[in-house]
Amino acid sequence: MEKNKSGIKLNVFTTPDEVLKHLADYFVYLANQNIETRGRFAVALSGGNSPKKLYELLASDTYKGQVDWDKVDFFFGDERYVPQTAPESNYLMAKTALFDPLQIPSTHVFAVDTELEPAQAALAYATNIQSYFNGLPARFDLVLLGLGDNAHTASLFPHTPVLHEQASTVKEAFLPEQQVYRITLTAPLINQAQAVAFLVYGQDKALAVQQILEAERNIEEYPAQLIAPKEGDLQWFLDSAAASELS
């Protein structure tokens, strides 16, 4: 099922496998379109279990030959403040699921340097992104996002100061309940993207999906409501369980 909702395109499929296939097809389409027109494809990846399955699919025999991977540059929408070798690292997950199987050169992977202090790591990553875009507004061709059951996306968590950041940059975010730092793209930076795609499946995400798409605006409680590209394409890829609370 496809339908538009206030400029948002909802793509709802019966099973998670169907969701992953259609998002992989969308990824390939955008990659090839941008490589043809610009010669490069810049994508910001999401962490978590759902994206891992997407990356494994993209690296599979079915998909790996559909993209000129030498012309793809990888960034991260957010990163946990852990060493790159830690099991919780988004970079390590993507390396294992995507970069290594596809033999992506390290020069095409822009990871967060978590050996720096959190604020310095965020600043260094913002600087790297600005450098990549040659001083022009940083506009990713695609930002992939997941959704937490608490309605967070990237590392934009409820009741954190980063929700009110007006600059298109990268910031550190401290999560008091977990006593940990995260490094995240700000909502304004995500919203500059040519395309943003949410990957969400499972009944445990149904309430959060409904809150983001149908509840009154309340970014403190539902941070993913901040994601609204001004000129880009916003698509949600959902299974029927995740979409089950939508009217």
Side-chain angles (χ1 to χ4, degrees):
M1 176 182 74
E2 297 181 1
K3 65 179 180 178
N4 283 293
K5 195 178 192 72
S6 304
I8 301 168
K9 189 174 184 185
L10 303 183
N11 307 277
V12 184
F13 305 99
T14 305
T15 67
D17 284 345
E18 287 178 275
V19 178
L20 291 164
K21 176 191 178 302
H22 282 86
L23 181 49
D25 289 342
Y26 182 64
F27 182 105
V28 168
Y29 165 75
L30 289 179
N32 290 331
Q33 183 184 59
N34 281 279
I35 289 169
E36 182 177 342
T37 57
R38 286 197 314 110
R40 307 295 303 171
F41 179 58
V43 56
L45 301 177
S46 173
N49 290 326
S50 301
K52 181 183 178 185
K53 293 182 179 180
L54 173 68
Y55 306 153
E56 290 170 343
L57 182 58
L58 288 168
S60 71
D61 290 340
T62 304
Y63 281 93
K64 66 182 182 183
Q66 296 188 38
V67 173
D68 184 351
W69 295 103
D70 284 339
K71 295 177 179 174
V72 180
D73 296 313
F74 297 94
F75 296 81
F76 290 85
D78 72 321
E79 182 56 276
R80 294 174 171 89
Y81 188 64
V82 296
Q84 292 183 350
T85 53
E88 304 86 2
S89 167
N90 288 343
Y91 164 78
L92 181 63
M93 182 274 281
K95 182 177 186 292
T96 304
L98 188 65
F99 306 151
D100 286 353
L102 292 175
Q103 298 181 311
I104 302 295
S106 59
T107 51
H108 292 183
V109 177
F110 296 80
V112 177
D113 184 355
T114 52
E115 292 186 0
L116 300 172
E117 291 297 313
Q120 281 68 45
L123 179 61
Y125 203 52
T127 301
N128 286 344
I129 290 171
Q130 289 168 356
S131 176
Y132 176 84
F133 287 99
N134 294 315
L136 297 171
R139 195 164 193 213
F140 292 105
D141 300 310
L142 173 64
V143 176
L144 290 168
L145 294 173
L147 184 70
D149 54 16
N150 64 349
H152 88 270
T153 193
S155 283
L156 305 173
F157 280 81
H159 308 289
T160 54
V162 71
L163 302 181
H164 301 281
E165 178 60 57
Q166 298 297 307
S168 300
T169 189
V170 183
K171 297 295 286 185
E172 75 280 8
F174 183 68
L175 309 183
E177 290 181 9
Q178 303 171 37
Q179 290 291 298
V180 297
Y181 276 97
R182 300 280 190 100
I183 312 299
T184 187
L185 305 188
T186 62
L189 180 52
I190 294 171
N191 285 336
Q192 284 181 181
Q194 299 272 11
V196 177
F198 279 90
L199 169 61
V200 190
Y201 55 81
Q203 186 65 44
D204 58 328
K205 303 294 177 70
L207 179 58
V209 169
Q210 189 275 330
Q211 289 167 336
I212 298 305
L213 295 175
E214 295 184 342
E216 285 191 27
R217 184 172 174 84
N218 183 343
I219 63 166
E220 289 288 341
E221 293 288 341
Y222 316 132
Q225 288 181 341
L226 284 165
I227 306 307
K230 293 189 175 84
E231 299 176 15
D233 190 32
L234 178 56
Q235 305 233 11
W236 285 69
F237 289 80
L238 306 161
D239 73 344
S240 53
S244 62
E245 296 291 329
L246 293 174
S247 59

